[in-house]
Amino acid sequence: MIDWFLNAGPITQAFLAGVFTWLCTVAGSAVVFLVKEIDAKFLAAMQGSAAGVMTAATFWSLLSPAISYAESSDSSLPAWFPAAVGFLAGGAFLRLLDVVVPHIHLAEDHGDTDVKKTKLSRTTMLWLAVTIHNFPEGMAVGVAFAAANLGVEGASITSAIALAIGIGLQNIPEGSALSLPLHAEGRSKSRAFNLGQSSALIEIVGAVLGAAAVIVVRPILPYALAFAAGAMIFVVVEELIPESQSGDNTDVATMGFMVGFVIMMILDVALG
């Protein structure tokens, strides 16, 4: 089974990795059937850890291979150019989604949407906030597998697997952080679970699209890697860090970030 996966094409690998990250969200969302609410200190630690995982993955799994690929190419552009352009474009893309898609965040109102001017329910907008920020995570996984299959220096199947594992691990608390508040607001456990797990289905789509785009148009690879990195950092700074620091457990959240960063660094370096 492992050999089959390693020899499968990048799109198949990306699809299966996307399914794995979704299943982790399923597991996290299923917590709603076991407990009534999540401990605030635990949630802060998990959100901080998720931010650390994504920050580390941004460099080791995405930006570093992007720069290495640019350095080895015959392009007349400086090696930092694709990484810089792609990184900023990824952040700008997520900001555009924030403006276009009506949504609200779990912990704080970031002012992206005027709730008085939309007919969407609070539940729908909470779901949309998580969903639109899950897309770059899936895309990052897909691009990482494509880069590994294309033989990019600094990219490997094992590092792509490490990225998928890291994102999957942070999806577990993310799933519970959505399903439990929805249940607390009056949604049934089944409804809260379905909304929680479905928010990560977009990761499968993002993974397949990311891998396919790079395979079809190889020259965009360094830009695509950096684009995914920029989008992920946008999510970290705009959502994960503020929400982890919004309560009375800021030190716990900060230590969670440190631990998450180290875990992802070890996964990527050891497996890569």
Side-chain angles (χ1 to χ4, degrees):
M1 183 66 178
I2 295 177
D3 289 339
W4 175 85
F5 177 81
L6 295 177
N7 293 321
I11 295 178
T12 300
Q13 291 171 338
F15 171 78
L16 293 175
V19 170
F20 167 76
T21 61
W22 166 69
L23 288 175
C24 289
T25 305
V26 172
S29 300
V31 171
V32 74
F33 295 112
L34 304 175
V35 300
K36 292 183 178 180
E37 61 181 20
I38 192 168
D39 181 74
K41 182 178 292 187
F42 175 76
L43 179 59
M46 290 300 97
Q47 287 178 322
S49 177
V53 165
M54 291 177 65
T55 302
T58 294
F59 176 74
W60 273 282
S61 298
L62 299 170
L63 282 178
S64 181
I67 295 172
S68 295
Y69 183 87
E71 288 176 338
S72 63
S73 68
D74 296 329
S75 174
S76 59
L77 295 172
W80 54 261
F81 184 81
V85 171
F87 187 84
L88 292 175
F93 175 72
L94 260 291
R95 177 55 187 155
L96 178 62
L97 285 183
D98 270 359
V99 173
V100 173
V101 181
H103 67 283
I104 54 177
H105 296 267
L106 289 167
E108 296 182 4
D109 181 8
H110 296 180
D112 294 321
T113 300
D114 187 346
V115 296
K116 297 179 180 179
K117 295 182 179 181
T118 178
K119 296 181 179 179
L120 296 178
S121 67
R122 173 179 169 81
T123 297
T124 300
M125 289 192 289
L126 282 172
W127 180 83
L128 285 171
V130 178
T131 300
I132 61 177
H133 288 169
N134 275 338
F135 178 75
E137 296 175 13
M139 185 175 62
V141 171
V143 171
F145 276 103
N149 278 269
L150 292 174
V152 175
E153 182 181 352
S156 67
I157 294 295
T158 48
S159 65
I161 292 173
L163 175 61
I165 292 173
I167 289 177
L169 290 176
Q170 67 93 21
N171 276 358
I172 296 175
E174 184 177 82
S176 60
L178 179 58
S179 63
L180 286 171
L182 290 178
H183 177 51
E185 290 185 354
R187 299 294 180 272
S188 68
K189 290 185 177 181
S190 296
R191 175 65 171 163
F193 166 75
N194 284 329
L195 286 169
Q197 61 85 16
S198 64
S199 67
L201 287 172
I202 192 68
E203 292 192 7
I204 302 175
V205 178
V208 172
L209 288 179
V214 170
I215 295 301
V216 173
V217 190
R218 181 168 177 170
I220 71 169
L221 175 57
Y223 296 93
L225 285 164
F227 182 95
M232 286 178 63
I233 286 295
F234 184 95
V235 173
V236 169
V237 177
E238 201 256 356
E239 180 178 350
L240 291 176
I241 290 179
E243 294 192 357
S244 71
Q245 298 285 327
S246 64
D248 299 324
N249 301 294
T250 56
D251 288 342
V252 172
T254 301
M255 290 308 302
F257 179 96
M258 303 291 288
V259 172
F261 188 97
V262 169
I263 289 174
M264 187 64 222
M265 178 181 68
I266 292 173
L267 280 174
D268 195 277
V269 175
L271 296 181

